[in-house]
Amino acid sequence: FQAEDGIRDKLVTGVQTCALPIFAARFIKRLLVRLPHDPSLLARCGLVELNLGHYEAAAGYLRQSRDILPSDPNVHFNLGRALEHLDEWQDALKCYRQAISLAPDFEAAIARRTSLTEKLKENPGHGAARKSPDADSASRKKARAGKGGRRR
């Protein structure tokens, strides 16, 4: 696995020397072609996308990283940040709680959890978990079937 270590070294050097996050994202994505299941690359790409404001993309990369390496509190925290921006507050709160359970002194996660809990108290019902597009289209098909089939 020396090749993987070499790629990771390039990653650290490349990301540190990139003045603009968009170039860091391109660099990491090129590395992901070689190591598509590397949780640290996925997490780094998710963080760069998050910092660029590409929240859907960030959430996708961070979910992949979390699925491979569920013990990393930073991945849960950053996934929570992305989900919070996507107004998926309940799921974001779960991520912050998981980050805290993995690292009880994680101050940023504690602060985000507290802030989001207050937002949810002020806006009950807001920020509920979104349905997946597939689930939404399935429910529409089911509703149409109940009304006599397909629309014409």
Side-chain angles (χ1 to χ4, degrees):
F1 293 99
Q2 290 176 343
E4 288 183 11
D5 291 338
I7 290 172
R8 282 193 189 91
D9 291 342
K10 286 182 181 180
L11 166 70
V12 171
T13 303
V15 170
Q16 289 173 345
T17 59
C18 286
L20 298 173
I22 192 76
F23 294 118
R26 288 180 187 158
F27 183 78
I28 294 167
K29 286 177 184 177
R30 278 189 275 156
L31 291 175
L32 277 171
V33 170
R34 291 179 136 172
L35 299 168
H37 303 293
D38 185 301
S40 63
L41 289 177
L42 290 163
R44 180 70 65 168
C45 196
L47 181 59
V48 170
E49 293 288 0
L50 179 65
N51 290 334
L52 288 170
H54 304 158
Y55 305 119
E56 290 281 349
Y61 287 116
L62 291 163
R63 281 186 178 112
Q64 289 178 57
S65 180
R66 178 203 58 198
D67 293 346
I68 297 168
L69 187 66
S71 61
D72 186 340
N74 290 307
V75 171
H76 291 279
F77 173 72
N78 289 323
L79 177 55
R81 291 175 53 209
L83 294 173
E84 190 173 348
H85 282 288
L86 293 169
D87 285 337
E88 296 180 33
W89 292 358
Q90 294 293 339
D91 288 339
L93 195 56
K94 289 176 190 173
C95 290
Y96 297 144
R97 287 179 181 147
Q98 184 62 28
I100 295 164
S101 76
L102 293 167
D105 296 332
F106 197 156
E107 291 181 21
I110 293 167
R112 288 268 189 174
R113 180 194 62 188
T114 303
S115 171
L116 189 53
T117 300
E118 289 301 315
K119 280 169 125 177
L120 283 165
K121 285 179 185 174
E122 294 169 7
N123 301 290
H126 182 82
R130 290 186 189 176
K131 288 185 198 175
S132 71
D134 294 335
D136 197 36
S137 94
S139 65
R140 277 183 273 166
K141 286 178 186 174
K142 196 174 190 180
R144 276 197 306 247
K147 292 182 180 180
R150 302 181 117 207
R151 279 195 254 171
R152 296 172 202 208

